[in-house]
Amino acid sequence: MPQLSLPSEAPSLADAVAQAVRDGVAAGQLVPSRTYSVYQLAELLGVSRSPVREGLLRLEAAGLVEIQRNRGFRVLPPRAADVEEIIGIRLALEPDAARLAALHGTDAQHALLRDTLDTMARADGEAFWAADRALHDLLLRTAGRPRSAAIVAQLRTTTALLGPPTTASGRTLAEIHAEHEPVVAAVLARDGDAAFAAMRAHLSATGALLMANLDV
């Protein structure tokens, strides 16, 4: 078993296990040609089998591993088609939500969107990504789409497990922030068409970079 380790910051042990396996795949320590033991993984990471199984179930749902009953788990190569499908779903939900947020959001909701975008501009590391997730979530909820917000949150978690972030292609946090600026500006101006177009452009660019990062 490769020398994997739990990340220092994770919402739960299951999240930490999932990320440790994801990191092992990204580093080439876990390869598709082998079957790995759940028991050995639990011992290596110093946790019980329960969070290991839960973490592996999340990875299986993301399409990154295959759990083999009574044998262990096998790594599956990430596919650009998986990311393409996820971005396609988000394109069906988020541009229209941005349009609705522009047309129907309250002044207080719009102010919160502006504050969240400003937080992104000041943030770095995980704080930046937390603000990024919060902004997308706020746009969906401002549009009155809480179910869509829950779907997008799960899809973003899956995307994070499938491959490296777009910053791996040289895209900077400042550039990512800049892509959100026209979305929020259009929402605050109550220009629904511009908000729709800006969100579509942002998601399309993100999807293209995510797929380019995968070995296909």
Side-chain angles (χ1 to χ4, degrees):
M1 176 69 70
Q3 295 301 308
L4 307 180
S5 60
L6 289 175
S8 58
E9 296 182 6
S12 69
L13 272 178
D15 289 316
V17 170
Q19 189 57 51
V21 173
R22 168 69 192 90
D23 291 344
V25 174
Q29 295 177 291
L30 297 173
V31 296
S33 59
R34 291 190 56 187
T35 297
Y36 297 96
S37 166
V38 172
Y39 303 99
Q40 288 179 324
L41 180 60
E43 183 177 355
L44 176 65
L45 296 177
V47 298
S48 68
R49 292 192 293 273
S50 180
V52 168
R53 290 195 182 97
E54 186 178 346
L56 289 173
L57 284 171
R58 296 181 187 184
L59 291 168
E60 185 179 47
L64 193 62
V65 304
E66 176 187 43
I67 298 175
Q68 300 176 317
R69 187 174 178 81
N70 298 325
R71 293 184 62 193
F73 67 96
R74 184 171 65 91
V75 171
L76 300 175
R79 300 182 307 159
D82 296 324
V83 174
E84 185 177 25
E85 181 181 10
I86 288 170
I87 294 298
I89 296 170
R90 292 185 63 185
L91 282 168
L93 297 175
E94 294 190 75
D96 192 53
R99 180 181 63 81
L100 291 173
L103 298 177
H104 304 302
T106 66
D107 290 344
Q109 288 172 321
H110 285 187
L112 186 55
L113 287 167
R114 179 75 252 179
D115 289 344
T116 305
L117 184 66
D118 290 343
T119 298
M120 282 183 69
R122 298 189 300 268
D124 196 5
E126 179 51 38
F128 177 90
W129 297 114
D132 184 343
R133 291 190 295 270
L135 182 61
H136 282 263
D137 187 75
L138 279 170
L139 282 164
L140 287 156
R141 294 182 186 280
T142 299
R145 299 289 174 86
R147 292 178 182 83
S148 294
I151 291 169
V152 168
Q154 181 58 50
L155 290 174
R156 288 182 64 124
T157 298
T158 300
T159 303
L161 292 171
L162 283 172
T166 57
T167 48
S169 299
R171 189 189 196 197
T172 66
L173 297 184
E175 288 170 337
I176 296 171
H177 170 266
E179 288 183 15
H180 291 80
E181 273 281 7
V183 178
V184 174
V187 170
L188 268 56
R190 299 195 176 277
D191 186 338
D193 290 342
F196 182 101
M199 178 60 81
R200 186 170 184 83
H202 165 55
L203 291 176
S204 296
T206 298
L209 285 171
L210 287 171
M211 287 187 285
N213 286 342
L214 297 177
D215 294 326
V216 294

